[in-house]
Amino acid sequence: MMATVRNPARDAVAFVGVGTTPYLRDAGGKSATALACDAARTAIEDAGVDLADIDGICGSSVPTVSVQAALGLPAVTWWSNSSLPFSLLVIEAMNAVFSGACTTVLVYHSSLRGAGGSKTAAADPFRVHNASDAHGHNAAMTAESPSGTYGYCAWAQRYLDTYGVGRDALGLVAINGRANAARNPHALFREPLSMEQYLGARMIREPLCVLDMDPPVDAGDAFVLTTAERARDLGHRPVLLHAATSGRTDRPFADQLEDYTISGKEIVAWRLWEKSDVALSDVDVFFPYDGFSIMALSWVEAVGYCQPGEAGPFLAKHWSAGENRVLIDGRVPINTHGGSLSEGATQGAGHFREAVTQLRGDAGERQVPGAATALVTPGGFLWNATGFVLRGG
Amino acid sequence: MSALPDDAALFERFPGVGLDHDNKGLYRGFLERELRLNRCGACGHWQHPSLPMCPRCWSTDVVATPVSGRGEIYLLTVMHQGPPTPGVDYHSGYAVGSVELVEQRGLRYTSAIRSDGIRPAIGMPVELEWIERSGAPFPVFAARP
């Protein structure tokens, strides 16, 4: 590939505040705006910055005007509503801080479970009439629409066929997440999961079953980012954005991707390791996105742990029988919060929250000893692949 | 064969579809039971979904052109739930696939796969068929194992 890789923003911008709401099937009458504001308040309090210091705001579907007005941020100089996953907002915010468009930025994502999620959701007029588009669904969609959901399910089938892999490879992602979620009070699903349960779970779109798809939740997450310099004067150990990138090919549509191995994730991996001073062997904790389980397998392969098609055997080889979860080389856990499959579907915001929490050393009984470097790969392999190396400052 | 509708009438025939100048030829083709995908008039390159420029030669002479509808299943899923769709019953599994068309490597069209009791599979040959949906023809594929 062509362009010279530059990374002037290396370690220049830091996460300094983290906030969230409970992850619930029904937040009981709260709007998506309310959830965003709840998360934002806790993030701002966690960061210990004054409202007047926040001069940038970046959100997903809830308009930044609403959140700024509700919180009373008196003067912002940069704002953006961006597309998902959450990582794309983080990249925008990082760039805004690095460029000087703003100095301290609030980044948030919130969503309400859509009306199609369940019978109770379908009976809630606020869900029926205010369907948030967090999962790319809309009224014009039919069974045959080549949506992202279609794409990941159909590519999962081709993956299993191409590499001669069974569904148990996907099941390891779900089981690993559930074992980790047992130690995350924030997670929606915390009961242990067996392979037998996984293989017997309700099929949604073959070969993916209900346990391969992250459960929709009513939830909000927010973060405060600022310059590394300013971060050193605040209360927490800063978590530095060491390297960040997105990646997409010119065939990004769900059914037109040239091949499983010629996708955004290969561009991300190449660019990320070119930008980073650290290598895969330096990573202490890994957060492959798992909105669909196949995405996590694809990231294990793309970042360089193994070859395409080998993620299932790789996870099995690095499985800790005692802990019923993955520990790569006996050391590196994957999705210590449970991933979005167990914690809840928040477009990768949960992966960032956990990465920051681990690198601060604040993860309690989930803490990875001495965690200094986290690899976070939100998004999938069609049109929204992204990758990050985060380091404790 | 009824006379082709004008642009305003096309919107009436396909409510909810995001019609534009780049895909109107595809949907107008539905009404004549022809699957027409965009093809470059200059270099012959096919492209889907419908976009206004040829990525190979940058010609804007892109014309909705009939394909044979023959190809092989490249991607496949059997749906047990999904968006409410007229005439679609997910109860016993509804197969949807992306068919790699014989016209060009990598040119794929996604729709239902009908297979009369046999289980469809990746690599299986298919042919185009037309069904009626919401008062307009709709293209699907029939497996020919």
Side-chain angles (χ1 to χ4, degrees):
Chain A
M1 285 184 242
M2 47 294 127
T4 305
V5 175
R6 302 178 304 115
N7 190 14
R10 174 188 294 118
D11 299 330
V13 179
F15 287 91
V16 294
V18 184
T20 186
T21 67
Y23 277 29
L24 301 170
R25 298 295 269 179
D26 188 343
K30 288 205 178 231
S31 66
T33 307
L35 294 168
C37 291
D38 287 352
R41 276 170 37 191
T42 58
I44 294 165
E45 287 165 4
D46 180 64
V49 295
D50 294 332
L51 289 187
D53 291 333
I54 298 174
D55 55 356
I57 181 168
C58 182
S60 53
S61 56
V62 172
T64 57
V65 284
S66 302
V67 174
Q68 184 191 351
L71 293 172
L73 304 178
V76 302
T77 59
W78 179 83
W79 57 87
S80 176
N81 279 106
S82 180
S83 61
L84 292 163
F86 187 73
S87 47
L88 293 171
L89 282 68
V90 172
I91 290 174
E92 284 216 53
M94 177 190 80
N95 290 339
V97 171
F98 182 69
S99 73
C102 60
T103 297
T104 301
V105 57
L106 171 70
V107 191
Y108 64 85
H109 167 62
S110 67
S111 63
L112 290 180
R113 217 155 48 98
S118 73
K119 288 195 176 80
T120 52
D124 176 353
F126 289 93
R127 295 183 199 276
V128 173
H129 297 285
N130 298 294
S132 70
D133 195 23
H135 298 278
H137 296 147
N138 63 59
M141 244 174 220
T142 70
E144 300 83 4
S145 299
S147 63
T149 302
Y150 167 78
Y152 288 109
C153 298
W155 279 101
Q157 185 64 60
R158 189 170 175 88
Y159 176 95
L160 298 185
D161 279 30
T162 302
Y163 299 111
V165 175
R167 285 183 57 230
D168 53 333
L170 300 162
L172 292 177
V173 175
I175 294 167
N176 171 73
R178 202 59 77 80
N180 282 317
R183 293 189 281 187
N184 177 12
H186 201 62
L188 188 67
F189 295 138
R190 302 181 64 196
E191 323 74 50
L193 182 66
S194 70
M195 187 59 84
E196 191 179 8
Q197 286 173 308
Y198 168 81
L199 293 171
R202 184 164 55 92
M203 196 55 79
I204 305 292
R205 297 188 188 210
E206 294 179 30
L208 301 191
C209 70
V210 67
L211 298 174
D212 292 302
M213 303 180 172
D214 56 355
V217 286
D218 291 355
D221 284 284
F223 299 82
V224 177
L225 279 66
T226 191
T227 62
E229 186 179 27
R230 180 153 163 63
R232 284 190 279 274
D233 298 330
L234 296 171
H236 295 285
R237 183 187 185 193
V239 172
L240 302 170
L241 281 151
H242 176 70
T245 190
S246 327
R248 193 160 76 191
T249 73
D250 62 348
R251 295 179 61 96
F253 299 107
D255 56 351
Q256 306 293 324
L257 189 71
E258 184 168 350
D259 184 84
Y260 170 74
T261 60
I262 305 173
S263 76
K265 66 188 185 314
E266 282 76 28
I267 297 175
V268 163
W270 166 76
R271 178 64 71 123
L272 189 66
W273 295 127
E274 286 285 312
K275 282 187 152 188
S276 176
D277 291 344
V278 300
L280 186 60
S281 56
D282 298 314
V283 168
D284 300 311
V285 56
F286 177 32
F287 294 95
Y289 186 59
D290 60 338
F292 296 103
S293 56
I294 182 66
M295 295 166 159
L297 292 185
S298 78
W299 280 119
V300 169
E301 296 162 5
V303 300
Y305 281 118
C306 60
Q307 293 297 307
E310 293 180 356
F314 178 87
L315 296 185
K317 182 181 164 196
H318 293 268
W319 196 264
S320 163
E323 301 189 28
N324 201 33
R325 64 170 183 160
V326 177
L327 281 177
I328 299 170
D329 296 330
R331 187 179 75 84
V332 180
I334 290 180
N335 288 338
T336 46
H337 60 314
S340 46
L341 287 177
S342 284
E343 196 188 56
T346 52
Q347 294 282 336
H351 295 74
F352 277 103
R353 177 184 1 89
E354 179 71 0
V356 171
T357 304
Q358 288 283 353
L359 295 177
R360 281 178 170 184
D362 289 346
E365 60 172 333
R366 300 191 310 281
Q367 183 63 46
V368 178
T373 301
L375 174 62
V376 190
T377 54
F381 49 82
L382 298 170
W383 54 77
N384 61 15
T386 62
F388 297 75
V389 174
L390 306 183
R391 293 206 298 191
Chain B
M1 197 79 58
S2 56
L4 278 183
D6 62 17
D7 288 345
L10 197 62
F11 280 90
E12 287 172 21
R13 296 297 299 272
F14 296 103
V17 172
L19 293 170
D20 60 26
H21 288 299
D22 303 321
N23 67 18
K24 65 187 179 188
L26 172 69
Y27 287 93
R28 198 159 266 142
F30 279 21
L31 298 176
E32 295 195 74
R33 295 175 182 255
E34 260 187 6
L35 182 60
R36 297 174 188 162
L37 304 186
N38 280 2
R39 188 177 199 193
C40 177
C43 77
H45 185 74
W46 296 88
Q47 186 184 31
H48 188 71
S50 311
L51 293 167
M53 179 182 273
C54 173
R56 196 164 77 172
C57 75
W58 280 16
S59 169
T60 54
D61 178 20
V62 171
V63 184
T65 307
V67 293
S68 65
R70 284 180 291 109
E72 283 187 359
I73 300 173
Y74 184 90
L75 296 177
L76 178 68
T77 181
V78 178
M79 299 170 68
H80 297 270
Q81 69 182 60
T85 306
V88 172
D89 177 12
Y90 295 112
H91 190 69
S92 53
Y94 186 73
V96 174
S98 302
V99 170
E100 183 134 329
L101 298 164
V102 295
E103 277 75 11
Q104 181 177 295
R105 186 178 164 276
L107 177 71
R108 302 182 200 125
Y109 193 84
T110 298
S111 193
I113 309 285
R114 297 153 71 99
S115 60
D116 281 335
I118 344 155
R119 190 172 169 79
I122 288 170
M124 199 175 269
V126 298
E127 288 177 0
L128 193 63
E129 282 188 354
W130 291 88
I131 62 170
E132 287 289 314
R133 174 175 293 173
S134 307
F138 182 80
V140 299
F141 293 99
R144 297 279 182 258

